[in-house]
Amino acid sequence: MPRASLLLLGLLACACAGPLERVERARPAMGTEFRVVVYAGDRARAEAAAEAALARVQDLDRCLSDYDDASELARLGAASDAGAPTGWIALSDDLARVLEAAQRLARASGGAFDVTAGPYTHLWRRARRQGELPDPARLAAAAGAVGHARLELDPERRRARLGAARMRLDLGGIGKGFALDEAFAVLARHGLERALVVGGGELRAGAPPPGERGWRVRLVGLDGASEALLLAHAALATSGDLEQALELDGRRHSHVLDPRTGLALTERRLVSVVGPSATLTDGLATALSVLGPGAGPELLVRHPGYAARLQVERGEGMEERRTPGFPAPLSCGEAPEPPRASEPRTPAPHER
């Protein structure tokens, strides 16, 4: 589902020390910019690996996009236009794996995360473009095509069946994380461990830069304050309402939707999740954004190794909750200065 992607104000990589060289490459994909930073003794090998990782992301974009009618994901949803239930439809390995991960999270979250929410997503995108709320009758009609139980998977045979007409799938809440994991896997196959991959304000970090204990990351909050985190061998994702929203009659309608109701959140929330898998940190951040600080942390209990910071703006103040294990700031003062122009930056927020 669509979600805010502003997570980082800057990623600080140390100056190269010793024989290792720093290589950085970037390429547009999935409506944002993906960036790879690696340290390696062989520059040519590192450059080739970085390009291969970014090419992998672009391949996934062509498969998983819900903006491109020719993508495999879009064609899967369109197969239900002729009626439902559909027959069994063969899936590529990539689409099968990301849908399996999405369905596991949908069941664990009680539908707070749901990639079948595409019909709602399309209505709210149109609403934001036109500056008006979606037609309630259209939302009600879309509800008949939404619900994770209507998407049936056969993992052994890598196939899917859609149980309602006019279904549309939206991987905006998990697809970028999956792409980060896949890009990171490409780098690992090239033997590059000191690596960082960033996409749409999310990241996956490997071994730290030379002479450092981790990659230094600045994390921004709902109140505009930022803190510094030190990350290594971890993924970090954020979902929330920083900029993308529709404001009407003094009420803010977030771009984050509750797939159980089809309605946009009207309470400002910002959730950051850290853990070993970018796929799951991405999906969990989306689910916790919908569940909020009350029920959200309960979902993490069923996902050992993952931790979150949840912020909610209420009235004139902000409430914050951190689950056990969420990284503490490097300092209680101001976060480090923004990186130099040559260092990796997150792109401007982009709605999926």
Side-chain angles (χ1 to χ4, degrees):
M1 68 188 58
R3 42 176 293 203
S5 61
L6 179 62
L7 168 63
L8 311 173
L9 295 182
L11 298 170
L12 306 183
C14 73
C16 186
L20 298 183
E21 288 193 69
R22 182 177 182 277
V23 171
E24 178 183 343
R25 291 290 183 273
R27 192 175 297 178
M30 296 187 172
T32 186
E33 182 181 73
F34 275 74
R35 189 173 296 270
V36 173
V37 182
V38 295
Y39 285 87
D42 185 335
R43 186 175 185 85
R45 180 167 65 94
E47 290 175 344
E51 291 294 339
L54 292 170
R56 174 72 172 128
V57 172
Q58 290 189 313
D59 286 343
L60 288 171
D61 192 6
R62 288 186 283 271
C63 172
L64 307 181
S65 172
D66 72 318
Y67 284 94
D68 181 2
D69 290 340
S71 74
E72 183 182 1
L73 181 76
R75 287 185 281 109
L76 175 61
S80 67
D81 291 351
T86 67
W88 285 104
I89 302 169
L91 303 175
S92 67
D93 180 65
D94 289 330
L95 185 55
R97 286 193 294 134
V98 73
L99 287 179
E100 288 165 24
Q103 287 294 81
R104 286 193 296 270
L105 185 53
R107 292 188 293 269
S109 67
F113 178 90
D114 192 341
V115 296
T116 71
Y120 291 148
T121 301
H122 293 169
L123 288 175
W124 279 96
R125 285 176 184 165
R126 180 178 181 273
R128 285 192 294 276
R129 288 195 302 268
Q130 298 188 342
E132 61 185 20
L133 294 178
D135 183 346
R138 291 189 175 185
L139 284 174
V146 176
H148 63 89
R150 293 185 167 104
L151 172 60
E152 187 177 356
L153 300 179
D154 180 354
E156 291 187 1
R157 298 186 180 182
R158 259 185 6 200
R159 58 184 188 171
R161 182 162 58 187
L162 305 181
R166 296 178 296 281
M167 289 183 70
R168 291 296 184 271
L169 308 182
D170 177 5
L171 294 172
I174 198 169
K176 284 191 176 96
F178 183 76
L180 288 174
D181 282 337
E182 290 299 298
F184 200 85
V186 170
L187 298 176
R189 286 195 292 272
H190 283 79
L192 299 175
E193 298 180 353
R194 298 184 185 273
L196 177 75
V197 186
V198 184
E202 301 171 16
L203 66 85
R204 178 158 173 182
E212 293 286 333
R213 292 185 297 116
W215 298 84
R216 299 172 186 268
V217 178
R218 289 208 299 151
L219 187 65
V220 68
L222 274 178
D223 58 0
S226 62
E227 63 182 57
L229 304 180
L230 191 65
L231 296 178
H233 306 292
L236 181 63
T238 287
S239 173
D241 178 13
L242 282 176
E243 295 187 13
Q244 297 286 342
L246 172 64
E247 296 197 28
L248 288 172
D249 300 324
R251 196 173 194 188
R252 185 180 179 92
H253 301 268
S254 171
H255 69 281
V256 179
L257 308 181
D258 186 337
R260 301 167 299 183
T261 65
L263 300 179
L265 302 184
T266 55
E267 181 179 71
R268 294 195 71 199
R269 299 174 182 176
L270 188 66
V271 178
S272 297
V273 178
V274 65
S277 161
T279 303
L280 197 46
T281 57
D282 192 1
L284 283 170
T286 303
L288 267 63
S289 243
V290 173
L291 291 171
E298 297 177 8
L299 179 60
L300 290 183
V301 174
R302 298 192 290 277
H303 295 86
Y306 292 81
R309 183 192 75 174
L310 301 92
Q311 295 182 333
V312 178
E313 185 179 270
R314 289 176 176 156
E316 298 299 322
M318 184 191 72
E319 298 179 14
E320 178 177 294
R321 180 174 178 182
R322 297 183 183 222
T323 66
F326 189 82
L330 286 176
S331 69
C332 297
E334 296 183 357
E337 290 300 314
R340 300 186 303 272
S342 61
E343 293 178 328
R345 299 174 182 267
T346 49
H350 185 92
E351 179 187 1
R352 300 185 184 196

